[in-house]
Amino acid sequence: MAANYYMPTRICFGKEAVKDLQRFLNDSDRVLIVTDKGLQKAGIVDKIVEVLECIGCRQEVYDDVEVNPRPQTVEKCLAKTEALKATAVIGLGGGSPLDVAKIVSALATNEGKLEDYQWNGQKFMKAALPFIAIPTTAGTGSEVTRISVIVDRNVKKGIVDDRLYPTVAIVDPILMATLPSHLTSTTGLDAFTHAVEAYVGLGANSFSDAFAMRAIRLLIEYLPKAFANGDDLYAREQVAKASTLAGIAMDQAGLGIIHAMSSPAASYYDIAHGLSNAVLLPHGMRFNVIACPEKLAQVAHSFGINVTGMSAKEAAYRGVEAVEGFCRELQAPVTYEGYSPTLEQIERFGREAAATLLARNNPRKVKPEDCVEIFKRVFSIAKS
């Protein structure tokens, strides 16, 4: 199969990049800012509003996006978009606000409802409203992807369409400077997961590999520094760069077992996406060693491990061990604490994870029983 690369989003990157909004909006625009209450309370929304006021355009804010957004949120946000007669949409936040803004910008110009695109295979026929993605966490990569993920019917199900690519991504590390250390850790490990799964996935190619490996190396070097000192803007900038690179990689190459298993964990328990992936990351890597030892050996090499004289499989396991140490250094949880699923529930989670499209891209064939065994390890209690 021929390798393909397509990513039409314009990226504005660096400190004070939000000022570039004036390049893409004018005083005749009506702009809806889609975000969450945490960012509203933290004053991050005010920074965007200030720039829009300088431009002279009208703006309103929708700040009711939850951790794992549902269709009702999309419908309410769409209604506000239509009431405003918005000419552009800004998504401000982590993956959830960006995903809601992304799908709303497309629904605003196309016929049909969310379920038509999420469940019935309908494709967007018209261009979306201009959509500007402004991430405030360095982890999701949603600012450069053509997928919007909404939880419905107890499934974290994505809508994939080229018309969902953001028009512009504005990646400004200053907006991430106040991110708490635990969120710096889990969102950064989310980006690391994107890079690793894209690197080993069946959809990987030379183009995606280049983005993924650069992201891995940047995160190894700078994520601990950003975690240790959130005021280190250079470290923040490098982690933000890595997150965007990893986002491009996953968009082009796809993901795998870690994200497949993260889906039911988020759908049923509302576990934050970054946290969910951080817990599963070492388990998914260890599961895949047998299928792609050469690539996972490169992860070990990226950590500076001398793999001379080792077999590819031995080096790959050293890479997994290095990632486990990396997660410990970043104080990431090793289990989903506080949840007590029954064995029947865990078996259902395993079946659902193995049935996802994400699992089909994994380098090792994923069976429900494989997921069940991993779920047993990552949930703190599993009653029979």
Side-chain angles (χ1 to χ4, degrees), residues 251-268:
D251 183 73
Q252 303 297 316
L255 297 166
I257 187 173
I258 299 167
H259 277 75
M261 292 185 63
S262 183
S263 179
S267 299
Y268 287 93

Side-chain angles (χ1 to χ4, degrees), residues 204-223:
N205 56 59
S206 297
F207 305 105
S208 61
D209 281 356
F211 287 106
M213 187 48 65
R214 180 60 175 157
I216 288 169
R217 290 170 178 163
L218 283 171
L219 289 165
I220 288 170
E221 183 171 359
Y222 291 105
L223 181 55

Side-chain angles (χ1 to χ4, degrees), residues 200-201 285 288-297 312 316 363-364:
V200 304
M285 290 179 66
N288 282 332
V289 165
I290 192 173
C292 52
E294 294 82 7
K295 280 203 161 182
L296 289 175
R364 179 178 175 183

Side-chain angles (χ1 to χ4, degrees), residues 16-326:
E16 298 190 341
V18 291
K19 293 180 179 179
D20 279 354
L21 279 170
Q22 61 189 337
R23 296 170 53 195
F24 310 108
L25 298 169
N26 58 55
D27 58 7
S28 66
D29 277 309
R30 296 182 300 277
V31 183
L32 183 70
I33 303 170
V34 181
T35 187
D36 61 50
K37 293 192 182 300
L39 290 171
Q40 184 79 279
K41 185 177 180 180
I44 303 297
V45 176
D46 292 339
K47 294 181 180 181
I48 306 304
V49 169
E50 183 180 345
V51 176
L52 296 181
E53 287 178 344
C54 288
I55 296 170
C57 56
R58 179 182 171 186
Q59 79 280 327
E60 291 187 15
V61 177
Y62 179 86
D63 65 0
D64 283 332
V65 180
E66 64 269 51
V67 172
N68 290 297
R70 266 65 177 179
Q72 295 86 344
T73 301
V74 173
E75 291 166 6
K76 290 176 183 177
C77 187
L78 179 60
K80 188 152 189 173
T81 305
E82 293 171 341
L84 177 62
K85 297 182 179 178
T87 59
V89 176
I90 291 176
L92 176 69
S96 295
L98 266 58
D99 281 356
V100 170
K102 192 180 293 185
I103 193 66
V104 163
S105 68
L107 289 171
T109 59
N110 284 269
E111 300 294 329
K113 299 180 180 180
L114 172 63
E115 64 180 333
D116 296 324
Y117 299 94
Q118 188 173 24
W119 294 101
N120 302 330
Q122 188 167 323
K123 292 295 182 182
F124 295 108
M125 303 306 295
K126 299 178 182 178
L129 288 176
F131 168 50
I132 301 173
I134 307 178
T136 59
T137 65
T140 72
S142 185
E143 69 274 11
V144 286
T145 69
R146 57 179 178 144
I147 184 170
S148 173
V149 181
I150 305 297
V151 177
D152 188 29
R153 307 178 191 180
N154 282 330
V155 177
K156 194 170 183 179
K157 185 171 175 59
I159 305 101
V160 182
D161 195 292
D162 283 354
R163 296 192 185 275
L164 293 179
Y165 277 115
T167 311
V168 180
I170 294 179
V171 185
D172 188 336
I174 292 177
L175 300 181
M176 306 171 191
T178 58
L179 196 67
S181 59
H182 73 281
L183 290 178
T184 299
S185 167
T186 55
T187 56
L189 287 170
D190 185 20
F192 193 90
T193 303
H194 295 157
V196 169
E197 289 211 285
Y199 187 56
V200 304
L202 297 180
N205 56 59
S206 297
F207 305 105
S208 61
D209 281 356
F211 287 106
M213 187 48 65
R214 180 60 175 157
I216 288 169
R217 290 170 178 163
L218 283 171
L219 289 165
I220 288 170
E221 183 171 359
Y222 291 105
L223 181 55
K225 295 177 181 178
F227 172 72
N229 179 10
D231 294 330
D232 185 341
L233 277 182
Y234 184 75
R236 289 279 192 196
E237 187 171 25
Q238 300 309 303
V239 172
K241 183 189 300 180
S243 175
T244 300
L245 292 171
I248 295 171
M250 73 168 171
D251 183 73
Q252 303 297 316
L255 297 166
I257 187 173
I258 299 167
H259 277 75
M261 292 185 63
S262 183
S263 179
S267 299
Y268 287 93
Y269 291 130
D270 238 11
I271 298 172
H273 182 68
L275 171 60
S276 180
N277 283 339
V279 170
L280 288 165
L281 172 60
H283 299 277
M285 290 179 66
R286 181 173 285 106
F287 176 79
N288 282 332
V289 165
I290 192 173
C292 52
E294 294 82 7
K295 280 203 161 182
L296 289 175
Q298 288 300 313
V299 175
H301 181 73
S302 296
F303 274 99
I305 297 170
N306 184 357
V307 297
T308 303
M310 296 183 192
S311 68
K313 188 179 292 186
E314 289 171 330
Y317 280 120
R318 290 294 302 276
V320 176
E321 292 167 4
V323 168
E324 289 175 325
F326 191 55

